[in-house]
Structures are given as structure tokens and as C-alpha cells.
Amino acid sequence: MCLIVVSPHHKCRMRCSPGSMLNLLRSGRIRFCSRRGKSRLPLWLRKIWAYMRLLVQSLCFNTLTDSDVVFDSIFEPVFWTVDYVTRWFGLVFVCLVVILTSSILVIAYIVLLPLILNTYSPAWIAWHICYGHWNLIMIAFHYYKAAKTSPGYPPTEKNDRPFVSVCKKCIMPKPARTHHCGICNRCILKMDHHCPWLNNCIGHFNHRYFFSFCLFMTLGCVYCSISGRNLFLDAYNALERFKHLDLEKPGIPVTGMGLLIGLLPSGQTNFHTPAPSYTFKERMIHKSIIYMWVLTSTVGVALGALTVWHAVLISRGETSIDRHINKKEMQRLAAWGKVYRNPFNYGKLNNWKVFLGVEKRSHWVTRVLLPSGHPPYGDGLTWDIFPVRKDLIPV
């Protein structure tokens, strides 16, 4: 029989059985916890410590952790700050677009239109009026539709639709090409990006409106920049001439014999030059022309580059997020000696037909060159894969 000594002062002994050992360990744990409870940290400090432990543990929560997960976890406060600021400043960006566009329209109607009517031939006048107003209608229509149309959200109720993953933020099934927007705080069907200038996400149901707005805004800026180039040069030269006139001395001092023979009235020592040959209105007209040309040229270059990039993505059957994912998949499969093929690429022409909703020849005019509110192809939840033998939408 195995015996253990409990206390050196007391010569009591007890039998070493599993039950007695378990009771001894429990009593020791209770004493240790009671002593530790007396020196507990404040609640707010324990919460911070628990959150830091959770962050560290989240970096290795499974074997799929990679550099992207670590990067997102480290910079999560930065991303949250950017999302928060963009969410609240979205309305400011929309107001800025409206104000800048309205300022160009005011200059066009008040300053440029009278010059066109007094200078150009009737044919050129008709061209400028027709094209300018058509371009303006297309810009206003597509901007309004892109900002007010819902990009599309996956269903929240239970359904039998196929999905490819589960959103870690919404804890909801995600169909193919669906991604979570941190600014809208929702999952978006066929998400491209969140546009602060529209204060809306670009997704399945408003992607065409966004691209059309970028395209026609670029065309409008290029139109104003090219047609107003000569007016810009004339206005710039005129302002330079006005600047030199302002630097001239206001009068010629009269001294010596001039004062004796009475060239000037008594008490006047300067011969005043005549008033300047320009008015405040002329100066403001020239400045407004320069402002219009600089703004439209700058926006035309910047927005034109964005439009060309999105046109390339559409030709490939991709969104901005698809491009990033497909690039990583190509690199991953290339390491295994395989070739990755985008399952949503139907060919360049078919990609444009699907994107623009062209189902017959007349739609190139009624749905592309004229304002149209037709819905996009499909519901954004399921997608056709590799329609190689036939056109997806025959034209």
C-alpha cells in the first residue's frame, strides 16, 4: 500500500487513491485561483489583451493563411478608417461632381454659345448644338442611373442557388463573382469596386451605367478641350496683355519747364493716362475659358485612362476584382505547369454584347447610343461557362 505524507507537523497519513489525488488537485487549483483573483487587471485592460490575443491567433487560424491574410489583419485599422471616411464623404464627392459639371455648363451657355452663334457657319452651329446636347443627356442619364441603381445583393433567405463560399463578414453564402464591400457593409453581386464619386458600389446591375458615364464624360471633356483650344490660347494671350498693361505706370511725371508753362493744373504733378482698354467682364470671360479648358483637359486625361482600363477588362470578361483573382490563379497554376482560363470570358465581341445587353443589331443604337434602362444579361447569381461553339447573344 502506497502512503504519502500530507503535513510534516502532523504525522497523519492517507491512502493514495485516484479519488483522493483528484480532490487534492482541485483544492490546490481553488487556492491558486483565489490568490490570482486578488491581483486581476482592470476590465478594460483585459478586454484589450483578449482582443490582441484574438488578433494574433487569427493569423494562424488554419492552413490557408497566406501573406494576404496577414497583411489584411495588420492593416485592418487603416482599412476601417478609409472605409469610414469614404462612407461619410460620399455625398460630398457627388456634390463636387455636380458643381464642377454645372460650372462647365454655365460657361458653355453664357460664354461659348454666343461666340459660336456669331462666329461659326450654320452647319458648324448645328453640329455643336446637336452633339453637345446629346453628350450632355447621355452624361446626366448614366450618372443618375449609376448612382441610384442598386448594384445587386445576394438573397438573404434560404434558397437552392449554388454558391462558392461563405462571406466571413455577412456569414452568408456568396455566389460566384460576389464580394463584400466594407464601405456599403454588404455583399455585392459581380462587384467591381466602390466608387466614391457615385457614392455607390459598382456591381452587376449598374456596371453598364458606370462605364457609359465614364465613356461619355470623357468624350465630352475631349470635345470641350479640342473645340476650345483656340479660345484658350486667345484668352491666355489676352490675360498676359492685360497683365502688362496693369504693370505700366499710371502717369508720366511732369517737372521743370512743364510746371512753369502750366501743362498741369495747380497742385497736380502727374499726367494721367487713359483708362485701360479692357473691362472686368472681359477679364472674367477670359478666365472662365481658361478654367474650362484646364478642367476638361485634366479630367479627360484622367478619366480617359480609367475608361480605357475598364474597356480592356470588359473585353476580357473581367471586373477589377476578377482581374486580381485571375492573376493569382494564373501564377498558382503556372507553378504546376498548367494554364488558367477565365471561365467568364466568352470572347471579345460576346463579352461586349453581354455587358451592353445587345441582342439584335438595332440595340447598338437604341441601347448604346441612346439612353436605355434595360436590365443586364442574367441575374448575377449564376453564370454560363465557356459558350464556345455559338454566340451567347446572336446578332
Side-chain angles (χ1 to χ4, degrees), residues 85-101:
V85 172
T86 305
R87 184 184 303 119
W88 285 104
F89 276 83
L91 187 60
V92 176
F93 288 125
V94 172
C95 293
L96 187 61
V97 172
V98 174
I99 292 173
L100 293 178
T101 307

Side-chain angles (χ1 to χ4, degrees), residues 363-376:
H363 285 170
W364 291 105
V365 176
T366 59
R367 292 189 171 185
V368 179
L369 299 180
L370 294 177
S372 176
H374 64 278

Side-chain angles (χ1 to χ4, degrees), residues 27-40:
S27 61
R29 182 179 179 183
I30 292 174
R31 289 182 180 180
F32 176 75
C33 291
S34 62
R35 292 177 182 176
R36 188 178 61 177
K38 296 179 182 179
S39 60
R40 278 189 176 181

Side-chain angles (χ1 to χ4, degrees), residues 101 104-105 108 112 127-128 131-140 212-228 292-293 295-301 303-304 307:
T101 307
I104 299 299
L105 290 178
L112 299 183
W127 153 254
H128 283 292
Y131 177 81
H133 285 86
W134 169 77
N135 204 339
L136 175 62
I137 292 173
M138 298 297 286
I139 291 173
S212 298
F213 164 72
C214 293
L215 175 62
F216 289 111
M217 179 62 84
T218 301
L219 293 178
C221 291
V222 172
Y223 164 72
C224 292
S225 179
I226 294 177
S227 60
M292 182 203 70
W293 191 86
L295 179 61
T296 55
S297 300
T298 305
V299 174
V301 172
L303 193 59
T307 305

Side-chain angles (χ1 to χ4, degrees), residues 346 350 387-393:
Y346 310 132
N350 273 333
V388 179
R389 295 297 181 87
K390 60 181 181 180
D391 285 351
L392 192 67
I393 303 178

